[in-house]
Amino acid sequence: MAYKFRLEQVLHYHQSREEQALEELVQRQAALEEETRRVEVLESEVDRMLRNWREQSASQINLRRLCSTYEYMVFLRQRLKYQEQVREQSAARVQEQRHRVKECWQQRKIMEKLQEKDYEEYTRELSRQELCLSDELSLASYRKGKAN
């Protein structure tokens, strides 16, 4: 009689859920990295524009150019603020997915523990049956020897 775990399909279900959750986590982490990269690009652009602004202010003043630079700086800062919000939302989604992965992992571990306990019970039952069979054979051999 071969061992078969009664809840094998449930265990496979939890394993596949965990794998899917891990894949989703990887995707969300990649999205977070991309959002972080965008923030860094905008920050470097703001820094570049600030240097440009200082250079323009130090040299001959061109009012039209200073105004357009200022307007572009305002635009960049608004984009940077928005991009930081997007990054924060992405980070929150990563944290949420990590929590899901942890829950899936815990469910899978519970099922694996049940499987281990079930297998231990199976081996104990087999040992008990073998012991009973051995006792019966010994008793039958004893009776056969006593009958002769």
Side-chain angles (χ1 to χ4, degrees), residues 43-58 69 73:
E43 286 173 340
S44 67
E45 180 68 10
V46 166
D47 289 342
R48 188 182 69 75
M49 289 306 296
L50 277 173
R51 283 192 307 276
N52 188 6
W53 173 271
R54 287 185 190 119
E55 289 171 6
Q56 287 179 15
S57 298
T69 302
M73 285 290 296

Side-chain angles (χ1 to χ4, degrees), residues 2-148:
Y3 172 74
K4 175 131 173 69
F5 182 48
R6 297 170 301 168
L7 300 173
E8 190 73 32
Q9 290 179 336
V10 177
L11 175 60
H12 287 303
Y13 168 75
H14 286 292
Q15 287 171 336
S16 67
R17 275 191 62 210
E18 182 182 10
E19 290 169 6
Q20 290 171 349
L22 283 169
E23 289 173 10
E24 180 70 22
L25 177 61
V26 168
Q27 291 173 358
R28 288 184 181 195
Q29 286 174 329
L32 175 60
E33 289 172 10
E34 177 63 23
E35 298 304 332
T36 300
R37 187 195 62 76
R38 288 179 182 164
V39 166
E40 290 169 354
V41 166
L42 284 171
E43 286 173 340
S44 67
E45 180 68 10
V46 166
D47 289 342
R48 188 182 69 75
M49 289 306 296
L50 277 173
R51 283 192 307 276
N52 188 6
W53 173 271
R54 287 185 190 119
E55 289 171 6
Q56 287 179 15
S57 298
S59 66
Q60 195 174 24
I61 296 178
N62 180 342
L63 191 57
R64 176 176 273 166
R65 191 166 179 176
L66 281 175
C67 286
S68 65
T69 302
Y70 175 77
E71 288 174 5
Y72 185 61
M73 285 290 296
V74 169
F75 168 75
L76 278 178
R77 288 183 184 201
Q78 288 173 345
R79 275 192 59 199
L80 179 60
K81 184 177 180 180
Y82 171 76
Q83 195 61 44
E84 286 172 342
Q85 290 173 346
V86 170
R87 180 179 61 179
E88 288 173 11
Q89 292 169 351
S90 183
R93 285 191 295 272
V94 166
Q95 283 302 109
E96 176 185 314
Q97 192 61 30
R98 282 186 179 138
H99 180 70
R100 282 190 197 134
V101 167
K102 182 181 175 185
E103 287 176 350
C104 290
W105 176 80
Q106 289 172 336
Q107 291 296 318
R108 180 185 55 83
K109 291 304 267 180
I110 288 170
M111 293 307 298
E112 286 177 348
K113 203 62 144 163
L114 284 172
Q115 183 181 27
E116 288 174 16
K117 287 181 180 180
D118 189 58
Y119 183 73
E120 288 171 3
E121 179 63 31
Y122 169 78
T123 57
R124 275 195 301 272
E125 180 62 25
L126 273 182
S127 295
R128 189 189 65 75
Q129 288 176 2
E130 288 174 0
L131 185 61
C132 287
L133 183 61
S134 175
D135 288 349
E136 287 178 20
L137 289 174
S138 296
L139 187 61
S141 175
Y142 175 73
R143 288 181 184 160
K144 184 178 179 184
K146 203 166 195 188
N148 288 335

